[in-house]
Amino acid sequence: MPSDLKAAKGTKDILPEEASAWQHVEETSRRHFALYGFEEIRTPIFEPTELFNKSTGSETDIVTKEMYTFTDRSERSLTLRPEGTPGVVRAALEHALLRKGEVERLYYIGPMFRYERPQKGRSRQFSQIGVEVFGSAHAAVDAEVMEMVLALFRKLGVAQSSLQVNSVGCAACRPRYRTALQEALAPYRDKLCPDCVKRLDTNPLRILDCKVPGCIEIRQKAPSILSFLCEECRQHFEQVRGLLDALGVAYQVNERLVRGLDYYTRTTFEVASSSLGAQDALCGGGRYDDLVASMGGPATPGFGFAIGADRLVMVLSESPGRDITAPPADVYVVHLGAAGLKEALVAARKLRESGLAARLDPDPKDVKKQMSRASAWGARYALIIGERELERGAYTLKRMSDGFQRELRAGDWDEVAREIAAGGGHAVGA
Ligand code: AMP
C-alpha cells in the first residue's frame, strides 16, 4: 500500500542512480583541493543560534527569514547551519587552528538548511562544497582560489561556466558607498519591493542583489562601488585582476555583485552556468578579513567560497555525452544448483578481493534469467558456474559486449581476474 509519508517540502532523496554522480563530484573535489594543500574539516550540522547572528549577519535574509531554529530540551536555542563558514571559524578558534603568520587551508562538504521557497535549483536542504583560507590578505590567495574552482569545474566537465568578480570595499570605504547608494535610490523608494524599502535603511547593498524585476530596473541608477574604493582596496582589486590574467583565468567585472552575507570585504565572486536557468549560481564566495576578529578571534584575514553541490550534479547530469553515473559493474557470477551457489559465493569474494565489482543472484531461476540480470546491471563479464562447468573443473567467462567466451580453470582466481581486468578498466569515469 502506498504510504502518504513524504519527504518534507524542499528536501529530496538522492537515489542510488544519482548517488554515484554525487560520489564522483565529492571525490573529485577532495582530490582537487588536496592538490592545492587543503585539508578537510567536519563540523556539526547544528550550532548555537547566536553563532549565525554574530557572523552571517543579523540583517541578512538568511538570519531574519531562513534559519531552522529550535529550542532543545534544555531550552538552548540551536540552528541547523544555513552556511558553512561560521561553524568552520568557530571550530578553528575553539581548537586554536589559527596561528599568527601561518596560513590554514580547510575544506568541508555537507548539508546546509535554509527556509526558502523551493524551486528548481533551490531547496531547503542542500549540500555545499566549500573552502576557507585563513591567515593571508594577499591578492594571490583570491586569484589562486578562484582558479582552483574553475579548474575543478573544468575537470568535472562543467560546460559554460563564467566567473564574475567585484570588490565590495572594506569597513573604511564601504560606509561612503552605502550613503551614496541610499541617496541615489531614495527617490525611488515607492517603486522598490517591500523588502528593499526596508533594506534601503538597514542594508542598502542588498538591493543590488534583489531578484524582483522592478528593483533590478531601479538599481541601474545605483553608483558603482568601484569608484568608492579606498586606495588599499583599489590596489588589492587591481592585483587580483592582474593575477587572474597571469593565471589565464577569464572573468568579467560585475560592479553590482554583492553577496547575501554581511561579512565580505574586498573581493566577491560568483561562478554561474548558463545551463542552469533562473538559479544559475554554481559557486559564490569572497574575502572576509574582519570576520574572525568580529567573532572574538585574533585579527585573521580570510577568503572562501561555497559551491552548490546539488546544482553542480544537476549541470553534470544534464550535460550531453557525459556518463558519470555508471558505477563499476565488472562481473556477474551466474550459477546453478547448491554446489554452484557455494562456488559462486567464493568466486565473488575472490574477485572482489582483486578489486573487481562482482554480483550474483542468491535465488536464481535459470541461466537465461541471470544473464538478463547481468546485462541490466551493466556487467562487462558473466562468469558462468553451471553443472557442466563443475563437472569439468572449469568456469566459462563470457564477455557481455560481443558474447566472446573462454573456458578457465576452476579456482584459478588470478587468471580470471587478469582476464576481466584486461577486458578494460572500471566503467566509472570511462
Ligand atoms: P551562498 O552560501 O548563499 O553564498 O551560496 C553558495 C552556493 O550555494 C550558491 O551559488 C548555490 O549554488 C548554492 N545554494 C545556495 N542556496 C541554495 C539553495 N537554497 N538550494 C540549493 N543550492 C543553494
Side-chain angles (χ1 to χ4, degrees):
M1 212 177 73
S3 158
D4 52 6
L5 289 175
K6 300 247 179 341
K9 185 173 174 187
T11 69
K12 65 165 188 172
D13 302 304
I14 294 167
L15 301 177
E17 195 185 326
E18 208 196 341
S20 50
W22 279 84
Q23 289 167 10
H24 176 67
V25 161
E26 291 170 359
E27 280 161 22
T28 308
S29 305
R30 288 176 196 286
R31 280 199 303 271
H32 187 68
F33 296 157
L35 297 180
Y36 289 73
F38 283 81
E39 292 175 300
E40 185 177 10
I41 184 163
R42 302 187 189 200
T43 65
I45 62 167
F46 61 82
E47 296 273 358
T49 302
E50 62 168 326
L51 174 69
F52 303 106
N53 295 336
K54 276 191 181 157
S55 51
T56 308
S58 53
E59 302 292 339
T60 57
D61 281 359
I62 290 182
V63 170
T64 55
K65 299 190 209 158
E66 296 171 1
M67 294 205 305
Y68 279 92
T69 297
F70 60 98
T71 313
D72 76 0
R73 288 168 195 274
S74 315
E75 300 298 316
R76 288 187 195 91
S77 180
L78 299 170
T79 293
L80 297 184
R81 62 183 185 191
E83 55 142 341
T85 306
V88 173
V89 174
R90 183 210 37 78
L93 292 176
E94 193 170 330
H95 304 285
L97 300 184
L98 308 179
R99 278 171 295 269
K100 214 174 154 47
E102 280 179 37
V103 174
E104 184 73 25
R105 300 181 151 219
L106 302 169
Y107 77 86
Y108 58 86
I109 298 180
M112 307 293 158
F113 305 84
R114 294 182 196 171
Y115 189 83
E116 291 195 272
R117 202 165 41 78
Q119 63 179 89
K120 187 173 183 236
R122 191 163 69 196
S123 42
R124 293 183 172 174
Q125 175 175 338
F126 56 98
S127 182
Q128 287 188 333
I129 301 174
V131 314
E132 317 291 352
V133 180
F134 296 104
S136 171
H138 201 287
V141 170
D142 311 31
E144 188 192 17
V145 172
M146 287 189 267
E147 186 275 330
M148 177 172 84
V149 184
L150 293 174
L152 173 64
F153 288 172
R154 234 186 356 262
K155 207 175 252 185
L156 285 166
V158 177
Q160 297 163 317
S161 63
S162 60
L163 168 67
Q164 300 202 330
V165 296
N166 193 25
S167 173
V168 294
C170 65
C173 55
R174 201 176 322 143
R176 277 201 311 129
Y177 177 66
R178 209 183 122 107
T179 309
L181 191 60
Q182 277 168 329
E183 283 168 5
L185 299 183
Y188 305 94
R189 182 181 279 271
D190 299 348
K191 299 201 178 70
L192 292 169
C193 75
D195 279 342
C196 282
V197 170
K198 275 188 233 139
R199 288 172 184 147
L200 193 55
D201 299 319
T202 56
N203 198 354
L205 266 78
R206 290 285 284 129
I207 299 175
L208 302 181
D209 209 21
C210 181
K211 300 285 184 288
V212 175
C215 300
I216 294 177
E217 178 118 7
I218 291 165
R219 68 170 173 250
Q220 304 307 324
K221 320 279 181 203
S224 165
I225 194 163
L226 296 178
S227 37
F228 287 80
L229 297 183
C230 62
E231 186 50 24
E232 287 81 2
C233 288
R234 197 193 59 73
Q235 276 183 20
H236 183 89
F237 194 44
E238 203 174 286
Q239 249 188 321
V240 170
R241 294 172 55 180
L243 291 169
L244 285 175
D245 291 337
L247 286 168
V249 174
Y251 63 89
Q252 286 170 328
V253 173
N254 175 359
E255 60 203 21
R256 309 228 185 278
L257 179 71
V258 295
R259 309 221 0 98
L261 310 167
D262 270 0
Y263 47 66
Y264 286 115
T265 50
R266 296 191 169 167
T267 313
T268 54
F269 77 100
E270 211 162 84
V271 182
S273 167
S274 55
S275 55
L276 268 174
Q279 301 298 319
D280 65 350
L282 269 182
C283 166
R287 180 160 279 289
Y288 48 86
D289 289 345
D290 303 330
L291 177 63
V292 177
S294 78
M295 289 171 67
T300 310
F303 188 92
F305 67 72
I307 296 169
D310 306 66
R311 294 186 194 174
L312 185 54
V313 169
M314 205 179 342
V315 167
L316 293 178
S317 47
E318 285 169 9
S319 304
R322 286 198 55 82
D323 180 17
I324 57 163
T325 57
D330 296 312
V331 53
Y332 201 94
V333 188
V334 174
H335 59 96
L336 276 181
L341 172 61
K342 219 185 268 172
E343 188 77 7
L345 281 169
V346 174
R349 197 198 105 196
K350 292 284 184 187
L351 293 169
R352 289 170 189 145
E353 277 172 8
S354 316
L356 294 166
R359 237 171 113 159
L360 59 91
D361 181 357
D363 202 12
K365 293 219 166 37
D366 53 34
V367 169
K368 208 165 142 217
K369 181 89 193 160
Q370 293 180 70
M371 290 304 290
S372 75
R373 290 210 171 130
S375 352
W377 185 44
R380 295 189 298 114
Y381 282 90
L383 184 70
I384 302 163
I385 309 178
E387 280 154 6
R388 193 173 59 94
E389 279 81 4
L390 283 177
E391 270 168 29
R392 290 158 53 87
Y395 305 139
T396 303
L397 186 66
K398 179 169 177 168
R399 193 156 62 201
M400 300 297 284
S401 58
D402 57 4
F404 173 78
Q405 294 198 10
R406 242 197 95 177
E407 197 170 90
L408 297 167
R409 202 152 46 81
D412 191 352
W413 305 112
D414 287 348
E415 179 61 14
V416 179
R418 239 192 329 270
E419 188 72 19
I420 293 171
H426 284 310
V428 159

